[in-house]
Each structure stands twice: as C-alpha cells, then as structure tokens.
C-alpha cells in the first residue's frame, strides 16, 4: 500500500492477488434447456473480442450444468453426457480469464421436497412455500440444512472438480421470514422469542430477528468460504449481497454489487451511489458492478434488451464511481443480438484505457453520511419518506458538480474520515453519543459539517433526546417541535445590515428577495450569535386569492445557521430542505444547497466544471495519473428512464493538480483525443467537446 492510501484511509487488497486483476467481467447464466442448444464457442469468442478478463458461469444449485454426483442435485434435463460448465471454464482459462462458478440455492424440486420436507421454506400461515414464479419449484430455507448441508456438498464438489477462483451464490440469503421448524427452533434458542409475524423495523422482535438472521448468514458465508479455501487457498465465497455493508467490508476481498439497471423513477446516478456506499466500508477492494443488458422493471422481461444509450449511461456511472463493469446475460441462446455491440463498445474503451481505471483512491473532499443499521425514525407524520432526505442531497450534489463520497455512519473513526474536509448529514436523525463524539472530534480537527432537520435529535435506540446530540456544534437547541407541512411559506433572503452585502450562500439569489420554504421546519432557538441571511416568512392563506398576502412580512427567525469555529464551518438547516428538494426539485433550493456546501467546504474542489447540462463529476488518483470523469446525465429521461439517445454536451474543466506535480500529458480517453490545455502551476484548464455518455480526462503526472 502506498503512503497516499494510508493518508486517505481508503484501504485496498493485496495488489498481487488475483482479485485485483480482472477489470471487465462477463456473466453467462445458462437456462436449463441450453445444454445441447447453445454454442459455447460463440460465447468464448465474444469474451475474447470484448477483452473480458473475468467470467461468472452457471454451475449448480437449482440446476447443475456439470455431471454432479451429489444426491438430489438436479442435473439439467438436457445435460446428457455433456459438461457445459467445465467446457466454458476451460475455454475461459485458455483466454487467461479468472473464473467464478455461479450457484443458486433459493429454489428446488419436488423430489427434494419429498426427501427433505424440512428444507423447504414455510410461510407465516404454516404452508410450505411454492416458488412465486415457477409452480414446479419450492422455495428453500436459507438458514437451515438445505444451505448449511446440501449446498455445502455442492460447493465442495465444484471446488474439487474445477477449482474455480471463487463461488458466487445468487439469492442465497432468503426471501423474507421463514417459519420452518429449524428457523423456529434456532431463533428461539438464540433469543428466547418467537419469530416476528411481520417485518416491521420499529418492532424490537424484528430487530432481534434481523440480528439473528444476519449472524446466521455470516456463519454460512464463513462455512462456504472455508470449504472453498481448503481446496484452493486463493479462492473465495462471494455472496450476491449481504445485509450488512460493514461486515461485507471486513470479510470480502472482492465485492460484486447486483444493481442491474434503472426501473421506474430511479435516477441514473443510483448506480454510482451504490458504489460509493459500498466503498465506504470496503475501501479500494475491487468492486464489480453487475449490469443487465435487459429491462429491469417489475414484470422481469429477462430475455429483453435495453437500448444502447441507457446501458451506456448506467455503466458510465458505475465506472466513474470505481466499479468494474460486469454484464449479465441470461440464456446461452440469444434472441435479440443488439446488446452485443453495445457491450463491445463499452468494453473496448475500458480495455484501451485500463491503466487510467485502476484507481488508487478517490480525491473527493466531501463525504455524505448514510445510515444502514440505525433505527428507522418514523413515529411522526413529518418523518415519513425519510429516504428522500439523502436522495435530495445526493441529487443536489450531482447538480452542484461537487465530487463526493458516501460515509457509513458506523465508520466515523479518524481513519475513515481523514480524506474529508466536509461531512454532509442529510437528516441523520439517529446518532449515538459515541457517533456525536466522533463528529465532534472531526470538527475539533478542522473538519466542517452541514446538517439538516432532525439530525442527532434521536439516540442510537431511536429515542428522542431533550436536545440535539450536536446542539453544541449547531449552536442551536431544540425548542418546540416540528412545524409542517407548511403551505405557502417562504425564506426571506437578506443582506448583512453592516456590510450591505449578501452572504456567499446567497450567490445568484441576490434579486430573489425571497424563495419558497421547505415543507417542514424544526423549531429551534439559537444559543449563540449568528448572521441572519435567511429568515422565515410564516405560512399565510393561499386562498381565496384576495387574501394571499403575507401576514408577517419578515421575521427574525433564522432558517439557516452558519458558524465558524477555528477553521471549521458549520451549517445547520432547521428545514427539511433536502427532502423538499427531492420532492419538488426547486432550482432555488439547488442553488442554496450548492452555495452552502461550497461555503462549508471552504476550498476549491479538485474539479470545477462549467457549461450546460447535468454532469456527475468524480476525481480519482492512479499510480502515475489522475482522472476526472464527467458523466453526462443531460437528458429528458433523466428522472425516469430509459434514455432514448445520448445528447452531447461540452464543458470547460478546471482541475487542481496535486502539489509537487505538473501534468505531463492530457488525454480525453473516451474520445481518444489529446486536447490543448493550459496549466498555471496550480490548475489545469481544458475544454471538452462532445461528451456523450461520459468523458474521462486522463492526466499523467
Ligand atoms: Zn427456515
């Protein structure tokens, strides 16, 4: 590990291990009637053509694609004497690819049901659970002997016969609460309780169940990993998802995330967000981003193909955020061939520029907290849709073009925070005393904070405190509840009466006089002196129109608290401005949030991007270079896909070059061009024309 990695806190795996080598993955998930029908050489040739260097191939579980001898392990009815898994595995090895075997334990057959009825999952009504999509099959229990005994034998057999680099299990972690005899007894032994009847995150029994089921899956992970390593020490069990990212970071050497495409109102940046949230706990361990070439809506057209623009922008978001692309295709027989050229184009550019994609660490200086395990605070009506706070803040940071990372709220030790100058807390309502102390230490060390709404008002158990846990940093105390939803309320924007100037957070809003308010506000009272750039205009009637005039023209109630303590800057919004932004996307709120983040950051971001459009900006350091990724999200289908076409934008980019370095060469990696650039000894200036899905500025240092 180089010194710079130690400095930033983004750890990595041993660079000499196989985990780091593959950069472009290919997954072929066979269907039962593929053997004898599909052409394995077509696939091997395709893998070669696209320079895929890692493959995930169907091996066993619900269907075996090799001549298994494990009793009850169902061989494909079309298998005959063939071994398509072995054939593909050997072909991939000849191409120098790493190979992972894929198993799927979640479903099984009637003969297994008859031999071991206790292996089948049971519903809350006490019925054995039929498979919801395939009535021939049964759903298995993830926490009992089907996985712990039967699948262990299968994993052992696959390892003994083929020694793949790893085994990846799909749908291995269960589908809701199982009421089989093993789960009833094991949970009772663990907790002294009966299984919860519903999954309600506010229910202490359900929380206990989550603790038990997560622990049970961790045991299973370690059991399978042990069986795998005994056969081949460098091989690993690779779960497709685990309910705890911190444990994922501790146990994994390589991680894949199964977030295949957009559906409904998913924003295209959602793929990058998943990468950032995982990186918060896995550091710079290799992260594969599984993307579907098909449509991922609820009706699950698994044989479908998305159009090129949509696939490209989704993968670009992943790549810009440190994912290694992994396409997944179901069925060895292809009906619609259009996706083949799309993936080819993506992988060719990736291959050509591989050294600029082997990232050492992200250079973002802003970290946004997210919470994975904290109790969901939803007792009150103003606490509904709490996930909109982080989505709104995320979207605001994208629009602001500020490079940022996500920070897991359970990893707030100095090592995990040292890369950051500013932490953003979008209504992180529940924080333990220890977490508050960690944030205090961050501020004591010169770090800045921006927080909204009920941040720190609840303790680790979700119990309301008498005051904010971070009241001393905010400089305000909780006063008298939450007001809202507020109809027709505004924020008054004011000059400093002494200087006659507007505060930096109001840049671009000088002529507004007032802008719309957020929908809710926490009532607070200041405990120290503050400027008053933003104050409340309370709600007033919005009908009849004759009565629509403010009853209070102005007030001295601040809706934005700005403080400086030493070199730290602290911003607190009592309103739910981030959630409001997610719901109505008001451009004034985007500007106010952008300005506030920049004021709190109090330094120029590594990359500043000007020009029209919506562009996600990330900045990375590699061994001898740095890159600026510009993902072009400018599209009428931004907030509900799919993209129909890529609409090129251009941008002027200013990049801060790390001290002691000068650019030795600059390339636009996607376009394959060497642009003209200027360097003033500190910042590099370059114009980028025609950004389609994304451009990557590669700067040799
Ligand atoms: Zn069970």
């Amino acid at each position: 590990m180089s010194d710079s990695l130690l400095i930033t806190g983004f750890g990595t795996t041993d660079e000499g291990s196989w985990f780091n080598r593959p950069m472009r993955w290919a997954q072929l998930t066979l269907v039962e009637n593929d053997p004898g029908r599909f052409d394995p050489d077509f696939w091997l040739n395709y893998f070669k053509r696209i320079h895929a260097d890692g493959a995930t191939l169907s091996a066993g579980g619900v269907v075996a694609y090799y001549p298994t001898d494990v009793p009850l392990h169902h061989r494909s009815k079309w298998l005959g004497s063939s071994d398509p898994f072995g054939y593909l595995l050997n072909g991939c090895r000849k191409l120098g690819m790493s190979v992972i075997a894929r198993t799927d334990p979640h479903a099984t057959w009637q003969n297994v049901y008859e031999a071991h009825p206790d292996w089948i999952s049971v519903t809350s009504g006490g019925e054995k659970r039929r498979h919801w999509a395939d009535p021939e099959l049964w759903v298995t229990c993830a926490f009992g002997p089907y996985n712990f005994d039967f699948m262990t034998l299968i994993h052992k057999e696959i390892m003994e016969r083929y020694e793949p680099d790893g085994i990846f299990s799909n749908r291995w972690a269960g589908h809701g609460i199982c009421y089989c005899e093993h789960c009833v007894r094991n949970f009772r032994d663990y907790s002294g309780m009966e299984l919860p009847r519903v999954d309600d995150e506010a229910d202490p029994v359900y929380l206990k169940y989550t603790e038990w089921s997560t622990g049970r899956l961790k045991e299973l992970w370690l059991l399978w990993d042990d069986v795998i390593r005994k056969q081949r020490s460098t091989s690993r069990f690779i779960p497709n998802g685990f309910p705890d990212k911190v444990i994922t970071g501790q146990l994994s050497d390589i991680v894949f995330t199964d977030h295949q495409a957009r559906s409904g109102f998913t924003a295209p940046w959602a793929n990058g967000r998943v990468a950032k949230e995982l990186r918060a706990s896995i550091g710079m361990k290799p992260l594969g981003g599984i993307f579907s070439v098909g449509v991922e809506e609820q009706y699950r057209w698994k044989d479908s193909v998305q159009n090129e623009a949509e696939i490209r922008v989704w993968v670009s978001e992943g790549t810009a955020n440190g994912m290694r692309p992994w396409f997944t295709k179901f069925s060895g027989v292809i009906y619609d061939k259009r996706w083949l050229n799309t993936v080819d184009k993506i992988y060719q550019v990736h291959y050509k520029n591989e050294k600029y994609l082997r990232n050492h660490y992200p250079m973002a200086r802003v970290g946004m907290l997210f919470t994975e395990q904290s109790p969901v605070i939803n007792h009150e009506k103003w606490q509904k849709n709490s996930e909109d706070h982080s989505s709104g803040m995320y979207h605001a940071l994208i629009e602001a073009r500020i490079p940022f990372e996500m920070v897991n709220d359970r990893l707030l030790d100095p090592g995990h925070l040292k890369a950051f100058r500013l932490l953003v807390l979008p209504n992180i309502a529940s924080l333990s005393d220890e977490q508050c102390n960690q944030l205090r230490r961050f501020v004591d060390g010169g770090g800045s904070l921006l927080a909204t709404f009920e941040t720190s008002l609840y303790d680790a158990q979700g119990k309301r405190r008498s005051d904010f846990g971070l009241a001393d940093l905010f400089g305000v105390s909780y006063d008298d509840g939450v007001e809202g939803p507020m109809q027709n309320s505004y924020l008054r924007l004011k000059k400093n009466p002494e200087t006659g100037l507007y505060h930096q957070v109001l840049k671009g809003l000088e002529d507004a006089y007032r802008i719309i308010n957020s929908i809710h506000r926490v009532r607070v009272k200041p405990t120290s002196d503050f400027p008053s750039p933003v104050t409340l205009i309370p709600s007033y009637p919005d009908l009849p129109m004759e009565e629509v005039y403010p009853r209070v023209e102005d007030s001295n109630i601040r809706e934005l608290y700005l403080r400086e303590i030493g070199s730290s800057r602290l911003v607190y919004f009592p309103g739910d401005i981030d959630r409001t932004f997610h719901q109505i996307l008001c451009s004034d709120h985007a500007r106010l949030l952008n300005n506030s983040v920049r004021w709190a950051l109090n330094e120029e971001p590594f990359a500043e991007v000007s020009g029209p459009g919506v562009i996600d900006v990330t900045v990375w350091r590699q061994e001898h270079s740095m890159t600026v990724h510009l993902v072009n999200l400018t599209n009428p289908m931004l907030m509900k896909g799919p993209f129909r076409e890529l609409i090129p934008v251009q941008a002027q980019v200013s990049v801060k070059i790390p001290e002691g370095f000068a650019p030795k060469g600059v390339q636009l990696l996607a376009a394959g061009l060497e642009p003209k650039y200027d360097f003033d000894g500190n910042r590099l200036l370059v114009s980028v024309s025609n950004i389609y899905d994304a451009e990557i500025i590669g700067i040799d240092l």
Side-chain angles (χ1 to χ4, degrees):
M1 204 188 288
S2 70
D3 288 349
S4 48
L5 288 179
L6 294 169
I7 289 163
T8 59
F10 284 95
T12 185
T13 45
D14 173 14
E15 292 191 9
S17 67
W18 78 263
F19 314 109
N20 273 297
R21 208 167 43 81
M23 290 294 281
R24 291 162 298 281
W25 286 85
Q27 175 178 340
L28 172 58
T29 303
L30 298 176
V31 296
E32 185 164 8
N33 73 350
D34 272 333
R37 281 183 83 224
F38 87 115
D39 176 4
D41 291 318
F42 164 83
W43 287 97
L44 293 168
N45 287 330
Y46 184 67
F47 296 167
K48 185 178 178 192
R49 168 179 142 199
I50 65 174
H51 302 285
D53 47 11
T56 303
L57 304 170
S58 294
V62 60
V63 175
Y65 295 96
Y66 68 95
T68 176
D69 291 318
V70 174
L72 296 172
H73 191 200
H74 174 92
R75 291 187 186 189
S76 155
K77 296 191 272 284
W78 286 265
L79 193 67
S81 59
S82 72
D83 179 3
F85 170 65
Y87 186 89
L88 285 166
L89 174 124
N90 287 330
C92 288
R93 286 213 166 124
K94 281 183 197 143
L95 294 172
M97 299 170 77
S98 301
V99 181
I100 291 173
R102 178 186 184 275
T103 63
D104 191 325
H106 88 281
T108 196
W109 301 85
Q110 184 65 29
N111 62 328
V112 176
Y113 172 101
E114 281 159 15
H116 296 280
D118 63 305
W119 288 4
I120 307 303
S121 184
V122 173
T123 66
S124 60
E127 308 269 303
K128 300 277 187 207
R129 192 168 170 198
R130 275 277 179 203
H131 197 277
W132 60 89
D134 186 339
E136 257 197 275
L137 299 176
W138 296 92
V139 177
T140 58
C141 168
F143 310 103
Y146 181 83
N147 267 350
F148 278 83
D149 300 339
F150 177 66
M151 284 304 301
T152 305
L153 289 178
I154 292 170
H155 288 162
K156 194 159 180 288
E157 183 182 68
I158 292 170
M159 286 309 298
E160 284 168 358
R161 293 199 191 172
Y162 303 98
E163 295 200 343
D165 293 297
I167 293 181
F168 172 85
S169 284
N170 189 49
R171 291 187 179 265
W172 69 293
H175 296 77
I177 304 166
C178 169
Y179 298 86
C180 79
E181 57 188 272
H182 302 288
C183 289
V184 167
R185 191 180 58 249
N186 287 337
F187 183 63
R188 197 186 285 146
D189 290 349
Y190 177 82
S191 66
M193 298 173 182
E194 297 305 315
L195 287 164
R197 305 313 292 175
V198 285
D199 49 348
D200 171 8
E201 289 185 15
D203 173 12
V205 181
Y206 182 74
L207 291 178
K208 202 73 191 167
Y209 169 79
T210 306
E211 186 183 290
W212 169 77
S213 56
T214 302
R216 194 82 182 131
L217 292 173
K218 185 178 167 186
E219 266 179 65
L220 185 59
W221 180 342
L222 293 174
L223 169 70
W224 287 346
D225 197 52
D226 186 53
V227 164
I228 290 166
R229 288 192 204 214
K230 273 196 179 118
Q231 186 64 33
R232 188 175 179 191
S233 64
T234 57
S235 295
R236 293 290 181 272
F237 175 65
I238 301 163
N240 188 7
F242 184 76
D244 185 314
K245 290 190 176 71
V246 173
I247 293 176
T248 302
Q250 290 161 354
L251 295 185
S252 302
D253 286 308
I254 182 167
V255 179
F256 298 100
T257 173
D258 190 0
H259 197 51
Q260 297 184 14
R262 294 208 267 176
S263 65
F265 290 92
T266 309
W269 46 250
N271 201 27
R273 180 176 178 167
V274 168
K276 285 180 157 112
E277 290 190 357
L278 272 163
R279 188 158 53 251
S281 59
I282 71 170
M284 290 307 296
K285 290 173 181 175
L287 173 64
I290 303 177
F291 68 94
S292 177
V293 300
V295 176
E296 277 294 299
E297 296 286 351
Q298 71 173 110
Y299 303 102
R300 296 177 58 79
W301 295 280
K302 300 312 289 181
D303 278 333
S304 60
V305 171
Q306 299 196 86
N307 71 59
E308 177 174 334
E310 180 65 23
I311 295 175
R312 277 176 60 173
V313 77
W314 188 253
V315 177
S316 290
E317 261 296 323
T319 304
N321 284 286
M323 277 182 183
R324 301 177 184 195
W326 160 331
F327 81 78
T328 181
K329 183 73 192 79
F330 306 89
S331 172
V333 175
I334 299 177
Y335 301 100
D336 184 338
K337 295 186 171 59
R338 290 174 294 172
W339 66 274
L340 292 163
N341 282 337
T342 301
V343 170
D344 185 19
K345 279 187 215 169
I346 295 169
Y347 278 33
Q348 296 298 348
V349 172
H350 199 280
Y351 171 69
K352 203 172 82 185
N353 298 301
E354 184 176 310
K355 74 170 176 165
Y356 295 100
L357 298 168
R358 287 193 174 275
N359 296 315
H360 277 206
Y361 57 90
M363 297 176 80
R365 300 276 286 156
V366 176
M368 178 173 137
L369 262 67
F370 74 99
T371 186
E372 190 189 11
Q373 300 277 319
S374 293
V376 176
I377 309 288
N378 62 359
H379 333 287
E380 307 287 354
K381 67 180 189 317
W382 62 82
Q383 291 163 338
K384 306 300 174 204
N385 303 316
S386 58
E387 65 284 356
D388 288 357
H389 291 276
S390 55
S391 297
M393 192 64 82
Y394 200 104
H395 192 85
L397 288 169
I398 296 278
E399 282 204 43
R401 300 172 174 179
I402 294 173
F404 67 104
E405 286 290 313
M406 297 299 280
V407 175
N408 190 306
D409 70 348
R410 287 189 290 154
L411 299 171
L412 299 179
D413 54 281
H416 279 91
L417 299 186
K418 64 188 165 186
F420 303 116
R421 182 168 172 87
L422 167 65
L423 294 180
V424 177
L425 286 69
N427 190 40
I428 306 296
S430 165
L431 284 169
S432 69
D433 291 347
E434 174 53 18
Q435 287 170 311
C436 291
N437 284 335
Q438 289 175 315
L439 292 167
R440 226 168 257 124
R441 279 197 287 277
F442 175 74
V443 172
D444 285 346
S448 296
L449 292 187
L450 182 151
T452 67
F453 204 46
E454 293 190 295
T455 292
S456 78
L457 191 56
Y458 294 80
D459 68 14
Q461 283 69 46
K463 193 163 163 286
R464 209 187 80 197
R465 295 186 166 101
S466 58
D467 199 355
F468 298 107
L470 298 174
D472 56 328
L473 295 185
F474 296 167
V476 303
S477 280
Y478 181 70
D479 189 11
D480 185 23
V482 173
E483 183 182 350
M486 296 181 289
Q487 298 272 125
N488 199 35
S489 164
Y490 296 84
L491 297 173
R492 171 83 166 88
L493 312 181
K494 294 181 196 167
K495 287 177 185 168
N496 179 326
E498 283 161 29
T499 63
L501 299 172
Y502 284 99
H503 195 281
Q504 186 188 326
V505 299
L506 300 182
K507 192 176 166 201
L509 295 166
E510 296 88 348
D511 293 336
Y513 185 83
R514 64 182 198 174
I515 61 175
I516 67 169
N517 201 351
S518 53
I519 298 167
H520 297 85
R521 57 181 285 270
V522 181
R523 293 193 186 93
V524 298
K525 51 177 186 268
T527 52
S528 61
D529 290 335
F530 281 97
S532 304
V534 179
T535 57
L536 174 71
I537 299 177
S539 292
Y540 51 90
D542 58 279
L543 264 179
M545 296 320 294
E546 290 78 357
E547 293 303 313
V548 182
Y549 60 90
R551 302 304 190 266
V552 178
E553 288 272 3
D554 195 0
S555 77
N556 58 8
I557 300 169
R558 296 176 189 86
E559 289 300 293
L560 175 57
Y561 290 89
L562 304 168
R563 292 181 91 190
E564 294 184 59
I565 305 176
S567 60
S568 303
R569 290 184 167 183
L570 302 157
V571 178
Y572 171 65
F573 284 94
D576 58 346
I577 185 168
D578 36 18
R579 179 172 55 187
T580 303
F581 181 58
H582 187 70
Q583 292 172 3
I584 60 175
L585 290 171
C586 172
S587 60
D588 291 337
H589 289 171
R591 190 172 286 276
L592 184 57
L593 285 167
N594 179 351
N595 290 342
S596 300
V597 167
R598 285 172 188 277
W599 180 77
L601 180 61
N602 197 19
E603 66 178 27
E604 259 188 303
F606 267 94
E608 287 281 23
V609 179
S610 57
V614 181
I615 302 175
D616 188 4
V617 182
T618 64
V619 185
W620 292 89
R621 188 76 160 87
Q622 301 82 35
E623 191 173 7
H624 300 297
S625 57
M626 64 184 287
T627 48
V628 178
H629 289 248
L630 307 170
V631 185
N632 177 14
L633 305 178
T634 315
N635 203 285
M637 315 318 281
L638 167 61
M639 300 312 280
K640 185 181 188 309
F643 280 20
R644 269 66 172 148
E645 60 184 333
L646 298 170
I647 299 168
V649 295
Q650 46 188 283
Q652 290 71 51
V653 185
S654 153
V655 186
K656 186 164 121 190
I657 300 299
E659 235 171 281
F661 290 93
K664 292 179 182 159
V666 177
Q667 294 175 67
L668 303 180
L669 300 175
L673 296 171
E674 290 187 20
K676 288 203 184 83
Y677 65 91
D678 290 314
F679 179 58
D680 67 5
N682 175 33
R683 297 190 79 96
L684 177 145
L685 300 172
V686 60
S687 284
V688 185
S689 53
N690 292 326
I691 307 169
Y692 288 90
D693 52 336
E695 187 51 270
I696 307 168
I697 307 170
I699 304 165
D700 293 311
L701 299 173

